[in-house]
Coordinates of all heavy atoms in Angstrom, one line a residue:
F162 N -33.4 39.6 54.0 CA -32.6 39.6 52.8 C -31.3 40.4 52.9 O -30.3 40.1 52.3 CB -33.4 40.1 51.6 CG -32.9 39.7 50.2 CD1 -33.2 38.4 49.7 CD2 -32.0 40.5 49.6 CE1 -32.6 38.1 48.5 CE2 -31.5 40.1 48.3 CZ -31.8 38.9 47.8
L165 N -27.9 38.8 53.4 CA -27.3 37.9 52.3 C -25.8 37.8 52.3 O -25.2 36.7 52.3 CB -27.9 38.3 51.0 CG -27.4 37.4 49.8 CD1 -28.0 36.0 50.0 CD2 -27.8 38.0 48.5
L169 N -23.9 34.0 52.6 CA -23.2 33.3 51.5 C -21.9 32.7 52.0 O -21.2 33.3 52.8 CB -22.9 34.3 50.4 CG -24.1 34.8 49.6 CD1 -23.7 35.8 48.5 CD2 -24.9 33.7 48.9
N172 N -15.8 32.6 48.9 CA -15.3 32.2 47.6 C -16.5 31.9 46.6 O -16.5 30.8 46.0 CB -14.3 31.1 47.7 CG -13.4 31.0 46.4 OD1 -13.1 32.0 45.8 ND2 -13.1 29.8 46.0
V173 N -17.4 32.8 46.5 CA -18.5 32.6 45.6 C -18.6 33.6 44.5 O -18.1 34.7 44.7 CB -19.9 32.5 46.3 CG1 -19.9 31.4 47.4 CG2 -20.3 33.9 46.9
M174 N -19.2 33.3 43.4 CA -19.5 34.2 42.3 C -21.0 34.3 42.2 O -21.7 33.3 41.9 CB -18.8 33.7 41.0 CG -19.1 34.6 39.8 SD -18.0 34.3 38.4 CE -18.4 32.5 38.1
L175 N -21.5 35.5 42.3 CA -22.9 35.8 42.2 C -23.2 36.2 40.8 O -22.7 37.2 40.3 CB -23.4 36.9 43.2 CG -24.8 37.0 43.5 CD1 -25.3 35.9 44.4 CD2 -25.1 38.3 44.2
V176 N -24.2 35.6 40.1 CA -24.4 35.9 38.7 C -25.9 36.2 38.6 O -26.8 35.5 38.9 CB -24.1 34.7 37.8 CG1 -24.4 35.0 36.3 CG2 -22.7 34.2 38.0
A177 N -26.2 37.5 38.0 CA -27.5 38.0 38.0 C -27.9 38.3 36.5 O -27.0 38.6 35.7 CB -27.7 39.2 38.8
N178 N -29.2 38.3 36.2 CA -29.7 38.6 34.9 C -29.9 40.1 34.7 O -30.8 40.7 35.4 CB -31.0 37.8 34.7 CG -31.5 38.0 33.3 OD1 -31.0 38.6 32.4 ND2 -32.7 37.4 33.1
Y308 N -30.1 46.8 38.6 CA -29.0 46.6 37.7 C -29.5 46.3 36.3 O -28.7 45.9 35.4 CB -28.1 45.5 38.2 CG -28.8 44.2 38.6 CD1 -29.2 43.3 37.7 CD2 -29.1 44.0 39.9 CE1 -29.8 42.1 38.0 CE2 -29.7 42.8 40.3 CZ -30.1 41.9 39.4 OH -30.7 40.7 39.7
F324 N -32.5 43.2 45.5 CA -31.1 43.8 45.6 C -31.1 45.3 45.6 O -31.9 45.9 44.9 CB -30.2 43.2 44.5 CG -29.8 41.8 44.7 CD1 -30.7 40.8 44.4 CD2 -28.6 41.5 45.2 CE1 -30.3 39.5 44.5 CE2 -28.2 40.2 45.4 CZ -29.1 39.1 45.1
L328 N -26.7 46.8 49.2 CA -26.4 45.3 49.4 C -25.3 44.9 48.5 O -24.4 44.1 48.9 CB -27.7 44.6 49.0 CG -27.6 43.1 49.3 CD1 -27.4 42.8 50.7 CD2 -28.9 42.4 48.8
F329 N -25.2 45.4 47.3 CA -24.0 45.1 46.4 C -22.7 45.5 47.1 O -21.7 44.9 46.9 CB -24.2 45.7 45.0 CG -25.1 44.8 44.1 CD1 -26.3 45.3 43.7 CD2 -24.6 43.5 43.7 CE1 -27.1 44.5 42.9 CE2 -25.4 42.8 42.9 CZ -26.6 43.2 42.4
L332 N -21.8 42.9 49.5 CA -21.3 41.7 48.8 C -19.9 41.8 48.4 O -19.1 41.0 48.6 CB -22.3 41.4 47.6 CG -23.7 40.9 48.0 CD1 -24.6 40.9 46.8 CD2 -23.6 39.5 48.6
V337 N -17.3 38.9 47.3 CA -18.2 38.2 46.4 C -17.9 38.8 45.0 O -18.0 40.0 44.8 CB -19.7 38.3 46.8 CG1 -20.5 37.7 45.7 CG2 -19.9 37.6 48.1
D338 N -17.7 37.9 44.0 CA -17.5 38.4 42.6 C -18.9 38.5 42.0 O -19.5 37.5 41.8 CB -16.6 37.3 41.9 CG -16.3 37.8 40.5 OD1 -16.6 38.9 40.1 OD2 -15.7 36.9 39.7
C339 N -19.3 39.7 41.7 CA -20.7 39.9 41.1 C -20.6 40.0 39.6 O -19.9 40.9 39.1 CB -21.3 41.2 41.7 SG -21.5 41.1 43.5
R340 N -21.3 39.2 38.9 CA -21.3 39.1 37.5 C -22.7 39.2 36.9 O -23.7 39.0 37.6 CB -20.6 37.8 37.0 CG -19.2 37.6 37.5 CD -18.2 38.4 36.6 NE -16.9 38.2 37.0 CZ -15.8 38.1 36.1 NH1 -16.1 38.2 34.8 NH2 -14.6 38.0 36.6
E341 N -22.7 39.5 35.6 CA -24.0 39.6 34.9 C -24.1 38.7 33.6 O -23.0 38.4 33.0 CB -24.3 41.1 34.4 CG -24.4 42.0 35.6 CD -24.7 43.5 35.1 OE1 -24.8 43.7 33.9 OE2 -24.9 44.3 36.0
L342 N -25.3 38.3 33.3 CA -25.6 37.7 32.0 C -26.9 38.2 31.5 O -27.5 39.0 32.2 CB -25.5 36.2 32.1 CG -26.3 35.5 33.3 CD1 -27.8 35.6 33.1 CD2 -25.9 34.0 33.4
L375 N -17.2 36.0 31.6 CA -17.9 35.1 32.6 C -17.6 33.6 32.2 O -17.4 32.8 33.1 CB -19.4 35.4 32.5 CG -20.3 34.5 33.4 CD1 -19.8 34.5 34.8 CD2 -21.7 34.9 33.3
R384 N -14.6 29.3 41.9 CA -15.6 29.8 42.8 C -16.9 29.1 42.6 O -17.3 28.7 41.5 CB -15.8 31.3 42.5 CG -14.7 32.2 42.9 CD -15.0 33.7 42.5 NE -13.9 34.6 42.8 CZ -13.9 35.4 43.9 NH1 -15.0 35.3 44.7 NH2 -12.9 36.2 44.2
T385 N -17.7 29.0 43.7 CA -19.0 28.4 43.6 C -19.9 29.4 43.0 O -19.9 30.6 43.4 CB -19.6 28.1 45.0 OG1 -18.7 27.1 45.7 CG2 -21.0 27.5 45.0
V386 N -20.7 29.0 42.0 CA -21.6 29.9 41.3 C -22.9 29.9 41.9 O -23.6 28.9 42.1 CB -21.7 29.5 39.8 CG1 -22.7 30.4 39.1 CG2 -20.4 29.5 39.1
I387 N -23.3 31.1 42.4 CA -24.7 31.4 43.0 C -25.5 32.2 42.0 O -25.1 33.3 41.6 CB -24.6 32.1 44.3 CG1 -23.6 31.5 45.3 CG2 -26.0 32.3 44.9 CD1 -24.1 30.1 45.8
A388 N -26.6 31.6 41.5 CA -27.4 32.3 40.5 C -28.5 33.1 41.1 O -29.1 32.6 42.1 CB -28.0 31.2 39.5
V389 N -28.7 34.3 40.7 CA -29.8 35.1 41.1 C -31.0 34.9 40.2 O -31.0 35.4 39.1 CB -29.4 36.6 41.2 CG1 -30.6 37.5 41.6 CG2 -28.2 36.9 42.1
G390 N -31.9 34.1 40.7 CA -33.1 33.9 39.9 C -33.1 32.6 39.0 O -32.0 32.2 38.6
S393 N -31.3 33.2 35.6 CA -29.9 33.0 35.6 C -29.5 31.5 35.6 O -28.5 31.1 35.0 CB -29.3 33.8 36.7 OG -29.5 35.1 36.6
L397 N -27.2 29.7 32.8 CA -25.9 29.1 33.2 C -25.9 27.6 32.8 O -24.9 27.1 32.3 CB -25.6 29.3 34.7 CG -25.3 30.7 35.1 CD1 -25.4 30.9 36.6 CD2 -23.9 31.1 34.6
G469 N -25.7 27.2 43.8 CA -26.7 27.8 44.8 C -27.5 28.8 44.0 O -27.2 29.2 42.9
M470 N -28.6 29.2 44.6 CA -29.5 30.1 43.9 C -30.3 31.0 44.9 O -30.6 30.5 46.0 CB -30.4 29.5 43.0 CG -31.5 28.6 43.6 SD -32.7 27.9 42.3 CE -31.6 26.5 41.8
V471 N -30.5 32.2 44.5 CA -31.5 33.1 45.2 C -32.7 33.1 44.3 O -32.6 33.3 43.1 CB -30.9 34.5 45.3 CG1 -32.0 35.4 45.9 CG2 -29.7 34.6 46.1
L515 N -32.9 31.5 49.7 CA -31.5 31.2 49.4 C -31.3 29.7 49.5 O -31.4 29.1 50.6 CB -30.5 31.9 50.3 CG -29.0 31.6 50.2 CD1 -28.5 31.9 48.8 CD2 -28.2 32.3 51.3

Side-chain angles (χ1 to χ4, degrees):
F162 198 86
L165 182 65
L169 290 176
N172 200 33
V173 301
M174 177 166 59
L175 195 73
V176 183
N178 184 4
Y308 48 83
F324 285 80
L328 186 61
F329 276 114
L332 290 166
V337 175
D338 185 9
C339 298
R340 299 278 180 147
E341 295 181 358
L342 48 70
L375 178 53
R384 293 175 178 261
T385 300
V386 177
I387 307 291
V389 178
S393 297
L397 290 164
M470 71 178 76
V471 177
L515 171 61

